[in-house]
Amino acid sequence: MKTKVGRNDPCPCGSGLKYKKCCALKQQQSTVEPLKDAYLRKYRIRLKEPKDIEGIRRCGKLVVETLKAVEAVIRPGMETEEINAIVHEMTVARGAVPAPLNYRGFPKSVCVSVNEVICHGIPGGRVLREGDIVNVDVTSILKGYYADANKTFFVGAPAPEAEKIVRVAAACLKAGISMVRPGNTVGDIGWAIQDLAESEGCSVVREFVGHGVGFEFHEAPQIPHYGQRGQGIVLAPGMVFTIEPMINLGGKELKVLKDNWTAVTRDGSLSAQFEQTLLVADEGCESLTPYPL
């Protein structure tokens, strides 16, 4: 006779929900400790209140509008420094602050990563060329709240390899988002991304992960883009974090250049990334930086 309740079994309390979405989640807190306090004590995760969520949502709207403004002007012959100027000027004009500027010494207002650059590319004199792919990663601070999102764009007409890696990276973010709901785990997110990427013959970068966001640029928890189903922290309403899979067309290995920021694929293969800031809602997930995938 089966005596142990599985995560996908009907909850013994009779609610009609699966155990993982009902009493398993409730067991993350003691009978006398509110969920918010339990997650802060156990994981250093600060669950967001409705007023905080609204502040992040407003900041997220600005981030998405900034990405759209950049997308509208990206073209061959453009220097990456021009992208930095657009992001900086638009952010400041809206009464916000570009979070990357001077963050741990980062010298610019946005990360711009071209072709083999995985992340943290520093804008400068690099000229975009026909067929390039370019990731633009925008994080803004508006009235004390942070929101973070990025997209990878085509520069002109893409070659088949460029089209593939951008398609797979976008699909990986979508797969990760599909796992965000109360009762699922951080491992469920990573598993979905890794499974999809590797089924396409691509690889997932391990060294950089998603992260909590909202009150600070980087908060707990970390969200790896690889993992096992059912493992890790159980997702709870009020959690806000990014999913931002970095997907390589070749191997997963990387190296960081002498500027101590720019991470590139070790084998020189193309890399693409998409990112959104996500809220674990009562019944599922809401993107606070929504754009079509």
Side-chain angles (χ1 to χ4, degrees):
M1 180 179 295
K2 184 176 180 180
T3 59
K4 184 177 180 181
V5 180
R7 292 181 70 250
N8 289 307
D9 291 340
C11 190
C13 75
S15 66
L17 299 174
K18 291 182 180 181
Y19 175 64
K20 69 180 181 180
K21 295 185 177 180
C22 190
C23 288
L25 184 58
K26 295 174 185 176
Q27 287 173 5
Q28 296 296 313
Q29 58 180 311
S30 71
T31 57
V32 297
E33 187 176 24
L35 189 64
K36 184 176 181 180
D37 295 340
Y39 268 63
L40 182 61
R41 176 179 59 80
K42 293 175 68 175
Y43 309 121
R44 297 184 296 109
I45 294 172
R46 292 185 284 177
L47 301 181
K48 275 60 175 182
E49 301 284 355
K51 65 179 180 62
D52 304 316
I53 294 166
E54 182 56 33
I56 300 168
R57 188 182 287 115
R58 283 195 296 268
C59 187
K61 183 178 179 182
L62 170 59
V63 167
V64 173
E65 289 174 355
T66 304
L67 286 171
K68 288 180 179 178
V70 172
E71 183 175 16
V73 298
I74 281 181
R75 65 193 185 280
M78 184 182 201
E79 292 188 357
T80 57
E81 178 59 38
E82 293 180 59
I83 297 174
N84 182 76
I86 292 167
V87 171
H88 183 89
E89 291 168 9
M90 184 170 179
T91 304
V92 172
R94 295 284 292 273
V97 176
L101 185 61
N102 299 320
Y103 178 76
R104 296 183 179 178
F106 191 80
K108 298 292 182 175
S109 295
V110 64
C111 297
V112 180
S113 303
V114 183
N115 292 344
E116 77 287 351
V117 180
I118 295 169
C119 62
H120 303 158
I122 300 173
R126 183 167 182 170
V127 177
L128 300 181
R129 303 187 184 282
E130 181 77 21
D132 284 348
I133 59 173
V134 55
N135 179 271
V136 180
D137 192 344
V138 177
T139 309
S140 299
I141 314 168
L142 181 64
K143 297 184 179 179
Y145 290 106
Y146 291 72
D148 189 2
N150 72 53
K151 296 180 72 173
T152 300
F153 304 111
F154 296 121
V155 181
E161 286 192 340
E163 187 281 328
K164 176 181 178 179
I165 194 60
V166 171
R167 172 181 57 80
V168 173
C172 283
L173 175 56
K174 189 173 183 178
I177 292 173
S178 75
M179 304 304 288
V180 179
R181 53 187 177 272
N184 274 9
T185 68
V186 169
D188 293 333
I189 298 170
W191 169 83
I193 292 168
Q194 182 181 4
D195 183 66
L196 193 155
E198 293 178 354
S199 74
E200 292 276 2
C202 299
S203 63
V204 180
V205 172
R206 275 27 177 203
E207 288 84 348
F208 301 104
V209 297
H211 53 86
V213 70
F215 297 139
E216 298 178 23
F217 200 159
H218 298 97
E219 306 175 19
Q222 293 190 343
I223 310 292
H225 304 115
Y226 60 95
Q228 297 181 351
R229 298 201 73 166
Q231 299 298 306
I233 296 169
V234 176
L235 305 182
M239 290 175 67
V240 176
F241 52 78
T242 69
I243 301 177
E244 47 185 297
M246 285 147 270
I247 309 300
N248 296 347
L249 194 61
K252 64 181 181 296
E253 295 78 16
L254 61 78
K255 60 182 178 181
V256 177
L257 302 185
K258 291 181 180 180
D259 60 24
N260 293 321
W261 281 105
T262 307
V264 302
T265 55
R266 185 167 291 276
D267 60 10
S269 63
L270 294 175
S271 184
Q273 180 186 18
F274 288 82
E275 173 189 24
Q276 294 190 20
T277 294
L278 303 161
L279 165 69
V280 182
D282 290 337
E283 299 295 333
C285 171
E286 178 191 349
S287 176
L288 302 179
T289 54
Y291 57 76
L293 286 168

